[in-house]
Amino acid sequence: MSRLELRHVRKAFGRLDVLADISLSVGAGEFVSMLGPSGAGKSTLFQLLTGAQHGEGEMFFDGTPLDDHGRHFAFMPQRDALMPWRRILDNTTLGLEVQGIRRKAARARVAPLFAEFGLAGFERHFPAQLSGGMRQRAALLRTVVQERDMLLLDEPFGALDALTRTAMQRWLEQMWRRHRWTALLITHDVREAVFLSDRIYVLSARPACIVREIKVPLPRPRSLGGADALQTSAIEAEILDILLNPEPNPHSSKGHDHD
Amino acid sequence: MISVGLLLLAWELYATYSGIKSTTLPAPSRVFEQAMLNREALVDNAIPTIRATLIGFAFSLSAAFALSMLVDFFRPLRRALFPVFIVSQTLPLVAIAPLVVLWFGFGLMPKIMLVALVTFFPMLVALVQGYEATEAEIGQMLRAMGAGRWRVFLLARLPSALPYFFAGLRISITYAVVGAIFAEYAGAAKGLGIYMLNAKNNFRPDLVLAAVGVSAALTLTLFGLTVLLQRLAMPWERAAGQHPAGTGPWR
Ligand SMILES: Nc1ncnc2c1ncn2[C@@H]1O[C@H](COP(=O)(O)OP(=O)(O)OP(=O)(O)O)[C@@H](O)[C@H]1O
Ligand SMILES: [Mg+2]
């Protein structure tokens, strides 16, 4: 039974076709990634899901049309979107405050999670006083404490250096195993997608459509190297091949129909 | 500080040794001496100026704030109103000040109006621009959390505007003093402006300069206050200057 289901979703900004035809689904407790070139329209899809933009096509959550925006999703934007003027603790309670929970109660709910997210001792710091990796974990904490039905993560580790990113990916995989969030992750990092996901949708360049759906049957906990290294790299190679040798985009208006 | 000292020294030397008459260019030492001798009159005339500046500025600040919110919530208003405000900024103060005094008399009212006129638009622009500087992602995220427009305004747009607000405040507060003095120059019972005018007419450039010194001190004080206020209102700005914490599990 899929929780989120999109059927033939399209979106254009004026004359710019961004999403040509997106159909996808995410099951309960499933970690799904969307992988695609920069500028394909991945963030735009999240804008549609969160109600910031409106497009065509059908979007369902638990079988009912998605019109009551802001109920089902906890959204983590591409940049961490921490408020510079709020201390980390108050940044992480933001979603709860908006839900109408008293500040004190919200803090009590978030505080025990700081250790798990590697932020213990930094509750009273301002975002500018944190490293990039810590900021991303704070943003993630702000997202998951909302306890919504599903996480929407837009390139949560895109801005990090390779080493920190790998550490964060391992950390997130571990967190996911413990909590089993239903999650849709945007990334353009092939290894990240394979490492974290149960399934991967590969998107074409703009106007985006889904060119391939790839299952990742690797056992969890996932590891770098080890017994599954061969299978892992086979999947990664398959995805890279799709991305680097795109079939002609059937939705592209700039076809080669003239001599 | 050093540059100001050097300038005063050069001025002092020139005034003393060039043979120029002290009724044309008084030396700083004479200005200071006269300022001390006339300090009661100077203070007496500074008070109405300070009052006009502060009341006028408070007035224009409230108006700018109210209107900035209105414009932020009803975008079409912006296009309708901004041309009017821009025109208000092109009015030359020299021409407007005597007219406003003519219409509203020698009291406090025309001063407040002129101070408001010169400070209102910079503050409005600063605020509106500040709201616009809100990170789009923060707005999108708040709406996804279920926040309405008013919530988004309070939680994100207003705090985002603070740096712009204070930048505008620093500029406007200096305009405000100039505006008040100009208004008094055009006609007033008391005030630094009318004091300067009278001193000039009595061939006392030393007293004109003493009054200029007082107004400069006033402007600097107000400027300093805005800087202090900003420090207090935006503690995260200073935090950002400190070293980022580097002791997390993964740097
Ligand atoms: N609000 C908007 N108005 C007009 N055009 C937009 C808007 N938002 C996005 N676009 C355009 O849509 C296209 C896709 O943008 P989007 O941010 O979805 O890409 P992306 O796949 O997330 O890229 P990246 O991986 O670099 O983040 C871009 O060409 C962008 O200019
Ligand atoms: Mg994006």
Side-chain angles (χ1 to χ4, degrees), chain B:
Chain B
M1 259 340 219
I2 295 168
S3 57
V4 173
L6 282 178
L7 200 72
L8 283 177
L9 188 68
W11 174 7
E12 179 81 38
L13 292 175
Y14 180 77
T16 316
Y17 297 108
S18 68
I20 196 164
K21 273 189 293 183
S22 75
T23 45
T24 310
L25 181 70
S29 55
R30 181 178 161 83
V31 171
F32 187 73
E33 184 190 302
Q34 288 301 313
M36 281 295 130
L37 283 176
N38 293 281
R39 63 176 176 276
E40 262 175 42
L42 280 170
V43 168
D44 203 32
N45 281 285
I47 286 167
T49 309
I50 295 172
R51 191 184 299 142
T53 305
L54 292 184
I55 296 178
F57 195 54
F59 191 73
S60 96
L61 209 58
S62 333
F65 186 58
L67 208 77
S68 72
M69 274 171 60
L70 207 66
V71 164
D72 198 54
F73 278 86
F74 307 102
R75 294 294 154 81
L77 261 186
R78 187 169 168 179
R79 236 177 297 152
L81 288 179
F82 265 49
V84 180
F85 298 137
I86 292 169
V87 167
S88 83
Q89 287 308 288
T90 63
L91 302 174
L93 211 51
V94 203
I96 279 295
L99 284 178
V100 175
V101 171
L102 187 69
W103 296 329
F104 296 97
F106 284 5
L108 194 58
M109 192 60 187
K111 281 92 191 171
I112 292 175
M113 292 186 64
L114 278 169
V115 170
L117 181 74
V118 292
T119 57
F120 169 75
F121 188 67
M123 286 317 300
L124 181 69
V125 170
L127 283 168
V128 170
Q129 212 178 4
Y131 302 147
E132 292 296 314
T134 310
E135 237 184 279
E137 268 105 350
I138 290 185
Q140 192 194 346
M141 179 187 71
L142 280 171
R143 275 187 295 276
M145 286 171 172
R149 287 192 74 180
W150 179 241
R151 252 337 210 339
V152 174
F153 180 80
L154 284 182
L155 286 172
R157 297 181 79 78
L158 199 56
S160 296
L162 275 179
Y164 292 78
F165 170 76
F166 280 109
L169 197 65
R170 282 199 298 272
I171 299 171
S172 295
I173 201 82
T174 61
Y175 287 181
V177 178
V178 173
I181 289 177
F182 235 110
E184 290 165 354
Y185 210 85
K190 250 188 209 169
L192 285 176
I194 197 73
Y195 186 86
M196 287 176 197
L197 184 67
N198 289 336
K200 190 202 82 167
N201 290 343
N202 294 332
F203 304 104
R204 290 295 301 273
D206 48 349
L207 288 182
V208 175
L209 288 171
V212 168
V214 171
S215 87
L218 176 61
T219 308
L220 282 177
T221 307
L222 291 173
F223 190 89
L225 279 178
T226 63
V227 173
L228 194 71
L229 201 65
Q230 179 168 17
R231 285 250 177 95
L232 292 175
M234 303 174 62
W236 61 92
E237 286 265 280
R238 249 179 317 158
Q242 291 162 10
H243 288 292
T247 49
W250 304 283
R251 20 199 242 103

Side-chain angles (χ1 to χ4, degrees), chain A residues 86-142:
Chain A
R86 282 188 162 227
R87 297 176 190 277
I88 294 302
L89 182 60
D90 298 328
N91 260 295
T92 55
T93 57
L94 186 67
L96 300 177
E97 269 179 57
V98 170
Q99 285 173 29
I101 296 170
R102 288 277 179 76
R103 183 171 277 206
K104 210 172 160 199
R107 286 181 169 181
R109 213 157 110 186
V110 175
L113 293 167
F114 267 71
E116 197 179 359
F117 278 71
L119 293 165
F122 292 90
E123 292 86 347
R124 307 287 302 154
H125 283 62
F126 286 111
Q129 295 170 298
L130 265 57
S131 71
M134 296 175 85
R135 291 177 61 114
Q136 295 297 325
R137 288 200 297 279
L140 207 58
L141 177 54
R142 176 193 60 202

Side-chain angles (χ1 to χ4, degrees), chain A residues 43 78 154-155:
Chain A
S43 298
Q78 188 159 357
D154 194 347
E155 290 187 41

Side-chain angles (χ1 to χ4, degrees), chain A residues 11-14 16-19 36-47 52-53 78 154-155 186-188 203-204 206 208, chain B residues 137:
Chain A
K11 175 67 189 171
F13 288 109
L16 183 73
D17 271 326
V18 177
L19 299 174
S38 185
K42 305 183 293 299
S43 298
T44 303
L45 189 69
F46 276 9
Q47 289 192 34
Q53 295 283 345
Q78 188 159 357
D154 194 347
E155 290 187 41
I186 288 176
T187 179
H188 37 213
L203 267 64
S204 71
R206 196 184 63 231
Chain B
E137 268 105 350

